[in-house]
Amino acid sequence: MSVIVWIAVASLLAWLWLLLGQGFFWRTDVRLPPGRDPDPGDWPAVCVVVPARDEAAVLGESLPSLLAQDYPGRAEIVLIDDNSSDGTGELARDLARRHGGLPLTVDTPGEPPAGWTGKLWAVRHGVELARTRRPEYLLLTDADIAHAPDSLRRLVAAARAGGYDMVSQMARLRVESLWERLVVPAFVYFFAQLYPFRWIGRRGGRTAAAAGGCVLLRAETAERARIPEAIRHAVIDDVALARTVKRGGGHIWLGLADRVDSVRPYPRLHDLWRMVSRSAYAQLRHNPLLLLGTVAGLALVYLMPPVALVAGAAAGSPATAAAGGAAWLVMIATYVPMLRYYRQPLWLAPLLPFTALLYLLMTVDSAVQHYRGRGAAWKGRTYARPDTVPEEG
């Protein structure tokens, strides 16, 4: 047998293992666990912390949904205007005046000191303000996330019923433009492949992840785990948060959201490219060997099946074509549930190898930007490379 046949067979075996041995990552039925409403007088106090930097374009859609939360207990919102230049803070106050609902506090911290990413510095400021209210839970949510009216109620009920220290939902991202249709469902699919949701909820398991747009965290757990100080330099703050909580013995859960949506648009490929490349190499811990392994893995698992099918058909090698075609079919079958979750046409499923190629290039670009000394850039800030960040006592 030729080398390409062996490579095609290896790709097929990899897909069979992913299908059955990676926590059934491709299934989309891990949703918010049901929880019974507490007694009317037993709803815990909650403080919603919203870090916001230059979010005026999306705040009009997201903040009213938080103000309108139908929560029976004591709840309030702390929005931290992270030195915005577009009037985010004033817009938030105006929305609260017009819509009413939950009480809103808007505050602005100074610029983040060395060793802190801007978002986590804003979260720190918000958590400190929240602690003066003595809530039992903190809801950490991004400024582009719109919540259904019962979102907070359902999160708290699920956390209490399941005994979870942290409950997180992967908000449904916007999928309207052509590039969003190609890239966004695959983004969540790849994330679930790296961090199978079923494994995250296991007590004592090692897999830990969260979705930073919607995290309900027990205040006592946050204080015990020194959140957010313990993860102050993290670019991928949601995964770092989950790992810190789980290492401290916390019970965590992550699943797909039904009625929690991101309203942030990514209409162009350039917008999506920046979103992925700003943190892709950080995900690989800035390790060149992990980068090489990731590129080789993506090529073997995602690019090889269509290449083997076409090459086998052209060269008259039925074994090569059959192995490549079978691997591609398994790939398509595992992607279909995510496309259905995002209500997208199923003809996008065979295009997953093309999307994987885009992610491969984004990851390489992320590494190139890192070695050019640019670090991770976001919202007008460029964060230092991790090996240049001074540690604080």
Side-chain angles (χ1 to χ4, degrees):
M1 295 176 69
S2 66
V3 173
I4 192 170
V5 176
W6 284 113
I7 296 176
V9 170
S11 181
L12 175 58
L13 292 175
W15 272 109
L16 292 175
W17 179 80
L18 288 170
L19 176 68
L20 301 174
Q22 188 64 6
F24 295 101
F25 76 94
W26 43 272
R27 295 182 59 172
T28 57
D29 57 347
V30 182
R31 308 292 177 91
L32 191 67
R36 296 175 59 186
D37 286 357
D39 294 332
D42 195 33
W43 284 94
V46 181
C47 194
V48 182
V49 177
V50 186
R53 178 174 171 83
D54 293 335
E55 297 287 14
V58 296
L59 208 60
E61 295 182 70
S62 61
L63 185 58
S65 74
L66 287 172
L67 295 167
Q69 284 301 297
D70 177 21
Y71 186 70
R74 178 168 63 87
E76 58 184 301
I77 304 168
V78 174
L79 186 141
I80 303 302
D81 177 15
D82 183 12
N83 299 282
S84 299
S85 60
D86 65 350
T88 290
E90 187 51 45
L91 174 60
R93 295 185 184 94
D94 180 61
L95 288 168
R97 285 191 293 266
R98 286 191 281 125
H99 291 272
L102 297 186
L104 173 72
T105 299
V106 179
D107 204 356
T108 301
E111 285 291 328
W116 284 83
T117 62
K119 177 182 176 181
L120 287 172
W121 179 245
V123 170
R124 177 183 183 271
H125 196 72
V127 168
E128 286 185 343
L129 285 176
R131 282 174 179 156
T132 65
R133 278 75 163 174
R134 304 182 67 83
E136 185 174 336
Y137 288 95
L138 302 167
L139 175 60
L140 310 180
T141 185
D142 288 344
D144 65 316
I145 303 299
H147 293 255
D150 62 347
S151 177
L152 183 55
R153 175 199 289 262
R154 295 183 66 223
L155 282 164
V156 171
R160 286 198 139 191
Y164 295 108
D165 297 285
M166 188 180 81
V167 172
S168 179
Q169 291 191 91
M170 177 74 71
R172 200 188 303 258
L173 304 177
R174 192 187 102 138
V175 179
E176 294 183 14
S177 72
L178 173 62
W179 287 113
E180 287 170 337
R181 292 171 186 270
L182 282 171
V183 175
V184 167
F187 175 83
V188 181
Y189 173 88
F190 293 144
F191 185 93
Q193 190 176 96
L194 286 173
Y195 307 103
F197 294 166
R198 281 176 171 76
W199 291 357
I200 291 169
R202 292 178 180 172
R203 283 190 181 273
R206 298 179 59 185
T207 305
C214 180
V215 176
L216 184 76
L217 180 63
R218 193 183 297 274
E220 180 184 354
T221 301
E223 190 165 2
R224 185 173 63 246
R226 297 179 55 249
I227 301 297
E229 286 82 359
I231 58 171
R232 60 188 179 274
H233 53 72
V235 175
I236 309 176
D237 52 90
D238 42 14
V239 174
L241 168 63
R243 286 174 176 164
T244 302
V245 171
K246 200 163 192 178
R247 277 199 302 263
H251 190 197
I252 69 175
W253 182 92
L254 170 64
L256 294 172
D258 286 314
R259 302 174 67 200
V260 177
D261 302 287
S262 171
V263 298
R264 189 183 307 282
Y266 293 97
R268 302 171 301 167
L269 176 60
H270 173 71
D271 304 315
L272 292 158
W273 193 290
R274 287 181 58 207
M275 178 190 74
V276 174
S277 65
R278 75 183 182 90
S279 60
Y281 198 40
Q283 180 71 51
L284 301 176
R285 302 194 292 273
H286 303 99
N287 187 317
L289 293 179
L290 285 178
L291 174 65
L292 289 174
T294 298
V295 169
L298 284 170
L300 173 68
V301 175
Y302 288 98
L303 306 187
M304 188 61 197
V307 169
L309 176 61
V310 173
S317 172
T320 303
W328 201 357
L329 284 175
V330 177
M331 182 195 315
I332 290 170
T334 62
Y335 192 40
V336 163
M338 189 61 69
L339 289 175
R340 285 179 172 160
Y341 169 73
Y342 271 97
R343 307 182 187 97
Q344 295 303 302
L346 299 188
W347 59 260
L348 289 170
L351 301 181
L352 187 57
F354 171 73
T355 304
L357 175 61
L358 290 178
Y359 275 90
L360 186 156
L361 297 174
M362 292 174 192
T363 303
V364 172
D365 181 56
S366 179
V368 169
Q369 299 305 318
H370 172 79
Y371 289 113
R372 286 180 175 175
R374 297 180 182 177
W378 186 245
K379 297 284 185 177
R381 288 194 182 109
T382 300
Y383 302 119
R385 288 169 44 168
D387 54 355
T388 68
V389 173
E391 290 293 328
E392 296 178 5

